[in-house]
């Protein structure tokens, strides 16, 4: 039986509000370095994490915050980790890309593809020591071109390990379109290694829940791994402050920042021949114009909004739930910003 959409929406909203709070801290300069969020992935994470049991493990990529929040890791510990405080989840040393919780059997890595071997290792130990327990690997489609992930898929297949491999496919690896670097069909790749593969709309939490439920049951009952290919959209693009996502959101405000230096370089007397310059300019214009058709402009791809729409039939309950989650998030934020212990 799937849980009611209310509880899945609560997980997704808590994650979204917490990540919006993280974004605000980052924009205020309180978190150093890059910041990759999981905004847009909430339906994939909630649909799966809501089904995990205590002895199940998670291997996460550079966008692990949402999964840890939904798994029940204290949001104050996560926030204090991102702020670099010594009483953060990993002593303030891991940052957002290397979040670990031994208690929750969860390990992240900023090394693209590393979720594969980590989850496979977790699953191997589960097969010996905790029959019925499973491991989940979350990774982007860019990671599917990493050798270690392919090797993990292969080993999980031949050793019949209880792993759910979850490919969160947003079609981009930083600035590279997936079709420019990825041959063939990803589900077919998994099938080629003997692993059943299922494609889902990663913006639809009920669809993700249904598909992953069957896969998780297969793994728990000793029938081996499954590959789940879930399409999603990253609303912040690769990381916070990413120029391309700013153009997608505010094309007219951001355009002059591109057009002015471009015009200057175009009019330079030295450099490439005119034909090459025109060709270059055409490419840039095409890239900018394509942002108008970008899926990130369409709120129908926002999993949180989509789930919310289905709950609008009970506006009073919805308002109560949203108020409660907002208050909890604000409380966690206030605690996280409290004095660093001396
Ligand atoms: C082994 C390795 N190579 C390159 C990088 C730099 N890098 C960080 S994120 C990223 C793109 C990953 O794309 P994808 O797996 O699709 O995940 P997404 O960021 O789209 O969620 C790259 C290349 C890295 N961290 N690790």
């Amino acid at each position: 039986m799937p849980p009611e959409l209310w509880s899945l929406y609560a997980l997704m909203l808590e994650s979204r509000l917490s990540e919006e709070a993280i974004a605000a801290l980052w924009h205020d300069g309180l978190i150093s370095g890059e910041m990759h969020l999981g905004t847009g992935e909430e339906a994939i994470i909630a649909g799966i994490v809501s089904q995990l049991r205590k002895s199940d493990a998670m291997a996460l990529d550079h966008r692990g915050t949402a999964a840890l929040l939904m798994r029940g890791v204290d949001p104050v510990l996560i926030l204090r980790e991102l702020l670099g405080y010594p009483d953060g989840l990993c002593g303030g040393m891991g940052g957002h890309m290397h979040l670990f919780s031994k208690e929750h059997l969860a390990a992240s890595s900023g090394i693209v593809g590393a979720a594969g071997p980590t989850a496979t290792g977790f699953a191997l130990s589960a097969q010996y020591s905790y029959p019925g327990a499973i491991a989940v690997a979350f990774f982007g489609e860019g990671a599917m071109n990493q050798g270690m992930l392919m090797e993990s898929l292969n080993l999980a297949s031949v050793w019949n390990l209880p792993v759910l491999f979850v490919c969160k496919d947003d079609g981009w690896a930083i600035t590279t379109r997936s079709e420019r670097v990825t041959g063939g069909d990803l589900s077919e790749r998994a099938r080629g290694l003997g692993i059943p593969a299922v494609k889902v709309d990663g913006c639809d939490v009920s669809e993700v829940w249904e598909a992953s439920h069957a896969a998780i049951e297969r793994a728990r009952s000793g029938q081996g791994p499954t590959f789940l290919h879930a399409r999603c959209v990253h609303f912040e693009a690769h990381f916070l402050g990413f120029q391309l996502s700013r153009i997608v959101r505010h094309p007219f405000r951001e355009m002059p920042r591109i057009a002015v230096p471009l015009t200057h370089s175009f009019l330079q007397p030295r450099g490439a021949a005119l034909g090459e310059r025109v060709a270059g300019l055409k490419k840039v214009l095409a890239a900018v114009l394509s942002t108008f058709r970008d899926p990130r402009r369409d709120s129908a791809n926002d999993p949180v909004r989509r789930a919310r729409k289905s709950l609008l039939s009970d506006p009073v309950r919805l308002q109560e739930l949203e108020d409660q989650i907002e208050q909890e998030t604000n409380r966690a934020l206030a605690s996280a910003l409290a004095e660093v212990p001396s």
Side-chain angles (χ1 to χ4, degrees):
M1 255 301 266
E4 51 168 10
L5 188 57
W6 288 96
S7 61
L8 294 173
Y9 177 64
L11 286 178
M12 293 162 74
L13 183 66
E14 188 206 338
S15 171
R16 175 64 61 90
L17 294 183
S18 302
E19 291 206 305
E20 281 175 3
I22 292 169
L25 294 175
W26 185 86
H27 282 291
D28 284 348
L30 294 174
I31 299 176
S32 57
E34 296 169 354
M35 177 53 69
H36 310 84
L37 297 178
T39 45
E41 296 183 353
E42 291 92 345
I44 305 174
I45 312 290
I48 293 166
V49 174
S50 61
Q51 303 188 53
L52 299 185
R53 299 180 187 156
K54 192 163 172 28
S55 50
D56 296 336
M58 302 193 304
L60 309 168
D61 61 6
H62 49 291
R63 304 185 190 279
T65 315
L68 290 170
L69 285 165
M70 294 191 203
R71 190 78 168 116
V73 177
D74 183 348
V76 179
L77 289 182
I78 295 180
L79 286 164
R80 286 184 82 81
E81 177 62 32
L82 305 191
L83 289 160
Y85 292 164
D87 58 349
L89 186 66
C90 305
M93 305 296 281
H96 81 283
M97 281 196 267
H98 298 98
L99 295 166
F100 284 77
S101 172
K102 201 172 165 186
E103 185 194 339
H104 296 85
L105 289 178
S108 331
S109 174
I111 299 174
V112 170
T118 309
T120 303
F122 271 135
L124 183 61
S125 103
Q127 198 179 50
Y128 279 105
S129 311
Y130 304 100
I134 66 150
V136 184
F138 288 108
F139 49 86
E141 85 297 335
M144 283 294 284
N145 295 325
Q146 288 295 104
M148 64 177 142
L149 179 54
M150 288 296 108
E151 292 170 36
S152 308
L153 284 159
N154 181 55
L155 278 184
S157 174
V158 290
W159 291 346
N160 207 36
L161 297 178
V163 194
L164 177 59
F165 290 98
V166 184
C167 180
K168 305 167 292 157
D169 185 350
D170 75 326
W172 288 94
I174 313 185
T175 47
T176 305
R177 291 288 317 170
S178 152
E179 61 261 23
R180 300 197 65 165
V181 288
T182 302
D185 178 275
L186 295 181
S187 294
E188 288 306 322
R189 254 192 223 185
R191 288 189 192 112
L193 292 166
I195 299 181
V198 191
K199 272 190 192 165
V200 289
D201 176 357
C203 304
D204 183 332
V205 68
S206 302
E207 195 178 323
V208 174
W209 194 95
E210 291 286 347
S212 53
H213 183 66
I216 289 171
E217 287 308 303
R218 281 190 72 249
R220 289 202 195 291
S221 59
Q223 295 175 68
T226 302
F227 181 80
L228 194 79
H229 187 182
R231 263 315 280 208
C232 67
V233 167
H234 285 147
F235 289 93
E236 298 289 351
H238 184 68
F239 44 38
L240 288 182
F242 200 65
Q243 177 96 38
L244 280 178
S245 76
R246 297 212 304 266
I247 299 169
V248 168
R249 280 201 196 139
H250 308 290
F252 295 108
R253 195 172 79 199
E254 295 294 330
M255 228 55 108
R257 295 178 206 216
I258 295 178
V260 171
L262 208 64
T263 314
H264 274 297
S265 71
F266 191 72
L267 296 174
Q268 282 279 330
R270 291 186 300 274
L274 188 65
E276 286 177 73
R277 288 179 193 213
V278 173
L281 193 62
K282 270 189 185 162
K283 269 192 183 168
V284 174
L285 280 177
V288 170
L289 287 175
S290 75
T291 63
F292 285 102
R293 296 186 302 276
D294 194 293
R296 285 165 288 205
R297 292 177 67 81
D298 185 353
S299 65
N301 292 318
D302 183 335
V304 181
R305 283 202 196 195
R306 249 164 85 166
R308 185 178 196 276
K309 219 169 156 187
S310 306
L311 301 174
L312 278 171
S313 51
D314 191 344
V316 176
R317 185 174 173 190
L318 187 60
Q319 189 65 55
E320 276 172 11
L321 179 72
E322 291 180 339
D323 288 348
Q324 181 204 329
I325 293 174
E326 195 179 340
Q327 280 168 20
E328 282 165 12
T329 309
N330 288 340
R331 262 200 300 274
L333 185 61
S335 308
L337 288 168
E339 280 294 292
V340 182
S342 51

